[in-house]
Amino acid sequence: MLFRLLRRPDTIRRVYFHSSAAFWAPRKVVHKFKLADIGEGITECEIIKWYVLEDTRSVAPSATIQAFDPLCEVQSDKASVEITSPYDGVVKELLVQEGEVAKVGAGLCLIEVEEEDTASQEVKTTSPAPVRDEQATNSIPPHVEQLPPSKEESSRRLHPLDPNFMPSGSSANVDSVLALPSVRHYARQNGVDLVHLVPGSGKGGRIEKRDVDAFLTRSSDPQVQTVKAGEDVIVELGRTRYGMWKAMVKVSARSTYEPFTLHNLLPILNAHIPPHYLLSPPKTSSTAVDPLSLFPAPSRPEIPDEHRYKRLTYLPILLKTLSKAMLEWPLFRASITPTTEPSASKPTLTVRPHADINVALSTPTGLYTPTLVQADTHSIYTLASSIQALAHRGRQVPCGLTPADMPRRGGTITVSNVGAIGAGEYASPVLVPGGGVAIVALGRAKWVWDVDGERGEKGGERRLKLGVSWSADHRVVEGAELAAFVECWRGYVEAPERLIAEGV
């Protein structure tokens, strides 16, 4: 009876087995790193040095390298170049030794890299005997559940314009440094990173031996590299800016600020203007307690009538916030250094320690741009007094502006208040040669009904808008730098409370 049951195929219980690969499991793969084309017309290079050698004979045990780490140095007929690793892994074997010549496209070394194996293997099923068609249709294939890949937390790289960005020497592109092989060898012997010497004093920004010696001198004498406070600093244009200098003209930008908080703050500031700045000082009322009973207060400064005003406007507050933004951006405190040598190899910029701002002033005798020197050191009330005095002198016929009001070197940014005349919101200011690195036109502040704000779904809200238009010297200012500076100024205009902590 048992024999009959075993022979009946319908009574056999079939058992299936399957096997699946371990998903997302790391596996080690050996890659052959080949010599790439490092220049036009170069077909072979000599291996000068391997950075993964423990000595001059063999590879260091488990020589671990990271991506973009220096791997070797090769030398051609034209230049000496450091080649970086494209992988994170372990160098297993050197295919070309130091002193040997490698052809372009030939393998230099073998690098073992861990990779994630995401390929799934086919399911293998086994059956004890051939099955009938109806039994094959009834068999259910095994279900394999694939796990989602794990998300690795990657650190976000900061933009070079971010104030928190810290450039590292290892991430710099060494290939972009122009220097002769002898200069590279001399710098390596003295432990000098050529990236810190860009641009050099040679033609086209090439680093010379004297640049390395000057760097070593500054490093040994800390007093040489210390810049005294309050002095100008001469900065040479880098390779990128020098290319912009030869090709670019100007760059423009427009934006809209919302000085709503500033509008609410203005009545408070007007109510507390120092009496010596007012045209008609308020009458002092006698109090029961004399605040000067112990010691007399210092005498108030004598302010001429031309420096007095009735109330504050937006302009002095905008100039104060602009000076704060200029302190964060040295580029907009810089001016093109005048030179009398037409054969100068490369122009330079003079970075000033303070914010010097020009104010466009329309007078009966023409347009003038007097300068508010060191605007960042003045208070809002002082700036308003200076603007009132400049306007008073400009309205005189003949013009009463003095050379002290318009110094020879002028300011680095010019402000034109076009909104004071008419209802214009934007303009296209023209930056004249020698007028600094940028000019901004301020439109008229208007109340508009904003439907794109936070309350747009509820019908919108009434907001105060101020249009600003920029033009900058594109020979030294990049478009991204101008846009970032405009946003930096916005941070002060739309949040003037920041000035309280800095002691306005």
Side-chain angles (χ1 to χ4, degrees):
M1 183 66 180
L2 179 61
F3 178 74
R4 290 179 181 179
L5 292 176
L6 292 175
R7 293 188 61 182
R8 294 178 60 183
D10 295 340
T11 61
I12 297 178
R13 185 171 182 176
R14 303 180 184 275
V15 180
Y16 295 90
F17 299 93
H18 74 278
S19 61
S20 60
F23 291 92
W24 311 101
R27 62 190 180 96
K28 295 184 177 181
V29 180
V30 177
H31 292 274
K32 179 185 290 186
F33 178 56
K34 300 180 180 180
L35 176 61
D37 186 5
I38 62 174
E40 183 179 358
I42 297 178
T43 59
E44 60 183 14
C45 295
E46 179 184 356
I47 305 299
I48 301 299
K49 180 180 180 181
W50 283 101
Y51 293 103
V52 295
L53 286 180
E54 187 180 34
D55 50 30
T56 58
R57 298 179 301 276
S58 61
V59 181
S62 302
T64 304
I65 59 172
Q66 303 292 330
F68 305 107
D69 283 353
L71 184 62
C72 64
E73 181 181 358
V74 299
Q75 185 174 6
S76 64
D77 297 336
K78 297 183 178 180
S80 176
V81 179
E82 288 183 353
I83 298 179
T84 58
S85 172
Y87 308 109
D88 295 338
V90 179
V91 179
K92 305 301 292 184
E93 183 182 355
L94 301 182
L95 302 179
V96 182
Q97 302 299 325
E98 293 181 355
E100 297 181 355
V101 177
K103 298 289 185 180
V104 173
L108 295 180
C109 63
L110 300 179
I111 303 177
E112 186 181 66
V113 182
E114 288 189 358
E115 296 182 351
E116 292 182 349
D117 188 6
T118 59
S120 60
Q121 297 181 358
E122 296 181 355
V123 179
K124 300 178 181 180
T125 60
T126 59
S127 59
V131 297
R132 295 181 298 184
D133 295 340
E134 57 182 2
Q135 290 178 348
T137 56
N138 294 334
S139 63
I140 301 176
H143 175 68
V144 179
E145 182 180 359
Q146 298 185 4
L147 298 177
S150 60
K151 297 181 179 179
E152 298 181 355
E153 297 182 357
S154 60
S155 58
R156 182 180 65 88
R157 294 184 178 180
L158 297 177
H159 193 272
L161 300 182
D162 195 311
N164 297 324
F165 175 76
M166 295 295 293
S168 57
S170 59
S171 62
N173 188 5
V174 183
D175 298 340
S176 63
V177 178
L178 292 178
L180 295 175
S182 59
V183 177
R184 293 178 182 271
H185 180 69
Y186 179 71
R188 193 178 302 110
Q189 284 183 335
N190 292 274
V192 177
D193 190 356
L194 295 180
V195 176
H196 300 303
L197 305 183
V198 176
S201 59
K203 183 178 180 181
R206 184 184 301 274
I207 298 177
E208 304 290 346
K209 184 175 180 293
R210 60 177 177 269
D211 298 328
V212 181
D213 295 334
F215 180 82
L216 294 174
T217 304
R218 293 194 302 267
S219 302
S220 59
D221 189 2
Q223 296 180 355
V224 176
Q225 58 183 357
T226 302
V227 180
K228 295 182 180 180
E231 292 185 355
D232 297 344
V233 180
I234 305 298
V235 179
E236 289 189 356
L237 297 183
R239 185 182 306 172
T240 303
R241 296 190 193 276
Y242 184 52
M244 293 166 50
W245 176 272
K246 295 184 293 183
M248 301 299 182
V249 179
K250 77 169 187 175
V251 61
S252 303
R254 287 185 179 182
S255 184
T256 302
Y257 294 167
E258 297 183 0
F260 181 73
T261 306
L262 183 60
H263 175 76
N264 295 334
L265 186 63
L266 196 59
I268 302 177
L269 297 178
N270 276 320
H272 295 83
I273 297 178
H276 54 277
Y277 285 126
L278 294 174
L279 284 175
S280 56
K283 297 180 180 180
T284 57
S285 58
S286 59
T287 58
V289 181
D290 185 9
L292 306 179
S293 59
L294 177 63
F295 190 80
S299 59
R300 295 174 180 175
E302 293 294 334
I303 302 296
D305 292 340
E306 63 183 37
H307 287 260
R308 299 174 183 266
Y309 51 91
K310 294 181 180 180
R311 61 183 180 87
L312 285 176
T313 60
Y314 290 131
L315 183 58
I317 307 177
L318 293 175
L319 293 177
K320 180 65 178 182
T321 54
L322 179 62
S323 67
K324 289 293 184 181
M326 293 172 64
L327 291 181
E328 296 186 16
W329 283 83
L331 176 61
F332 292 89
R333 285 186 283 112
S335 59
I336 301 173
T337 306
T339 177
T340 57
E341 301 177 2
S343 60
S345 59
K346 186 181 298 185
T348 58
L349 294 178
T350 302
V351 180
R352 307 179 186 181
H354 297 284
D356 298 336
I357 303 177
N358 292 335
V359 179
L361 187 61
S362 178
T363 69
T365 57
L367 178 65
Y368 295 91
T369 54
T371 305
L372 297 174
V373 182
Q374 299 182 6
D376 57 293
T377 61
H378 298 282
S379 66
I380 295 176
Y381 298 117
T382 307
L383 290 175
S385 176
S386 300
I387 296 174
Q388 178 66 24
L390 294 175
H392 174 76
R393 297 168 191 161
R395 286 192 295 264
Q396 298 178 4
V397 179
C399 182
L401 294 174
T402 63
D405 299 327
M406 296 183 294
R408 184 177 180 83
R409 70 175 189 172
T412 59
I413 291 182
T414 302
V415 177
S416 178
N417 188 14
V418 297
I421 304 176
E425 298 182 19
Y426 297 98
S428 298
V430 178
L431 183 65
V432 298
V437 295
I439 181 174
V440 57
L442 304 178
R444 177 176 289 274
K446 292 184 178 181
W447 289 96
V448 298
W449 192 257
D450 188 8
V451 296
D452 297 331
E454 298 178 356
R455 301 180 183 179
E457 299 178 357
K458 301 180 181 180
E461 59 182 339
R462 188 167 175 263
R463 304 185 70 89
L464 184 63
K465 301 285 187 177
L466 173 65
V468 294
S469 306
W470 282 89
S471 290
D473 193 340
H474 207 354
R475 299 177 299 173
V476 294
V477 179
E478 299 180 12
E481 292 171 333
L482 178 60
F485 176 74
V486 171
E487 292 303 311
C488 178
W489 187 25
R490 177 197 300 274
Y492 282 99
V493 174
E494 298 185 355
E497 304 94 336
R498 298 173 56 183
L499 298 176
I500 300 177
E502 300 182 14
V504 179

